[in-house]
Amino acid sequence: GEMTNYIAHQWKQPLSTISAIVQNLHVQEELGILEHTTIKDEFSKIEAQIAHMSQTMIDFNNFTKPDQPKEDFNIAAVIRESADIISPMLTSKGIALHLEIYNEHSSVFGQRNLLTHVLLNLINNAKDALLSQKTEDAKVIIRLEKNGKELEVSDNGTGVDSSIKETLFEAYTGTKGNQNGGVGLHMCKRIVEDTFSGTLTLEESTKGARFVIHF
């Protein structure tokens, strides 16, 4: 369901652009002012939008493949790929996404699509928290430290309820209590530990929630 939402938000703007181009061509044709050069230019714009939509499907297909091999991959590249997937949805909700990448070359060994999965889960949790808390000037920050071994996802909301902090990463707890199962954070922790031999922790923050992956 989340994946369908991501694709829908990715395709919304290209479809709107194509629709506007087609409507404009219809109007010009009805008014008798449609020229061949205009048709050629507008078709090029439509082709560009379709190419973008096709690439979106390729990206999502690669992300959802369960049998990706383990390899050394660039962490910064995965951060940007994850941001590209989810930023349209955040924008539609009035939430800003900031990337603070202080190491462009750091790599980690594992399955890159699983790190994307973890990042999308953490960002989506932050989005839900910010919306439920009705945070003004809401934002989510993804930060890769200079050492290349600490990857942080934080927000400027009111933070995680103290009553569930101790059991946050247990199955069926999560940031939403029992309402939505809470499997997301539990699985994120398992992925980080089992696939990347790292840790996922909720760390102290003056404002909002701050989840840190230590590779």
Side-chain angles (χ1 to χ4, degrees), residues 10 12 16 19-20 44 49 51 56 59-60 64 74 96 119 124 135 137-138 153 157 173 175 195-196 202 210:
Q10 285 279 7
K12 186 176 181 180
S16 296
S19 178
S44 294
Q49 295 298 326
T56 297
D59 292 342
F60 277 94
T64 54
N74 183 272
L119 286 174
N124 199 53
T135 305
D137 299 320
V153 177
T173 301
T175 55
T195 304
F196 302 106
L202 173 67
R210 179 170 171 258

Side-chain angles (χ1 to χ4, degrees), residues 4 13 46 53 59-60 80 96 109 115 117 124 151 161 172 179 181 191:
T4 303
Q13 186 57 50
I46 290 174
M53 295 171 72
D59 292 342
F60 277 94
R80 292 191 172 94
F109 183 77
L115 182 56
H117 180 77
N124 199 53
L151 177 56
D161 192 321
Y172 308 111
Q179 182 182 359
I191 288 170

Side-chain angles (χ1 to χ4, degrees), residues 25-34:
L25 289 173
H26 276 310
V27 170
Q28 291 188 48
E29 193 273 334
E30 289 176 355
L31 295 175
I33 59 174
L34 185 59

Side-chain angles (χ1 to χ4, degrees), residues 16 19 27 61 69 79 93 114 118 120 132 162 166 174 176 193 203-204:
S16 296
S19 178
V27 170
N61 187 46
I79 292 172
K93 303 294 185 181
L114 290 183
V118 170
L120 292 179
S132 66
S162 59
E166 295 298 320
K176 306 178 186 76
E193 292 175 349
E203 302 197 357
E204 291 298 321

Side-chain angles (χ1 to χ4, degrees), residues 10-166:
Q10 285 279 7
W11 278 18
K12 186 176 181 180
Q13 186 57 50
L15 285 172
S16 296
T17 300
I18 291 172
S19 178
I21 291 171
V22 172
Q23 289 178 23
N24 185 47
L25 289 173
H26 276 310
V27 170
Q28 291 188 48
E29 193 273 334
E30 289 176 355
L31 295 175
I33 59 174
L34 185 59
E35 298 180 0
H36 177 72
T37 54
T38 301
I39 295 175
K40 190 174 181 179
D41 290 342
E42 298 300 84
F43 278 5
S44 294
K45 294 177 183 177
I46 290 174
E47 288 171 351
Q49 295 298 326
I50 292 172
H52 170 71
M53 295 171 72
S54 297
Q55 187 60 48
T56 297
M57 292 307 302
I58 293 171
D59 292 342
F60 277 94
N61 187 46
N62 289 335
F63 164 62
T64 54
K65 284 180 180 176
D67 56 348
Q68 284 196 1
K70 286 189 175 184
E71 59 183 354
D72 283 307
F73 61 86
N74 183 272
I75 299 173
V78 172
I79 292 172
R80 292 191 172 94
E81 289 167 7
S82 303
D84 287 342
I85 289 173
I86 203 168
S87 58
M89 174 178 287
L90 296 180
T91 300
S92 72
K93 303 294 185 181
I95 300 172
L97 179 62
H98 298 283
L99 304 185
E100 298 180 358
I101 299 174
Y102 297 106
N103 187 322
E104 292 286 348
H105 307 292
S106 180
S107 63
V108 65
F109 183 77
Q111 291 173 270
R112 65 184 297 144
N113 63 328
L114 290 183
L115 182 56
T116 302
H117 180 77
V118 170
L119 286 174
L120 292 179
N121 246 301
L122 294 176
I123 298 167
N124 199 53
N125 279 347
K127 177 207 72 176
D128 290 344
L130 291 167
L131 292 176
S132 66
Q133 295 159 8
K134 299 180 180 178
T135 305
E136 294 185 6
D137 299 320
K139 63 181 177 181
V140 177
I141 300 170
I142 308 176
R143 179 186 179 95
L144 179 62
E145 297 290 354
K146 287 183 180 180
N147 60 21
K149 299 300 180 184
E150 291 182 27
L151 177 56
E152 171 187 316
V153 177
S154 61
D155 62 65
N156 64 335
T158 58
V160 177
D161 192 321
S162 59
S163 65
I164 62 171
K165 281 185 177 180
E166 295 298 320

Side-chain angles (χ1 to χ4, degrees), residues 117 121 125 172 174 180-189 191 200:
H117 180 77
N121 246 301
N125 279 347
Y172 308 111
N180 293 322
V183 176
L185 282 176
H186 175 70
M187 288 307 300
C188 285
K189 185 176 177 65
I191 288 170
L200 172 61

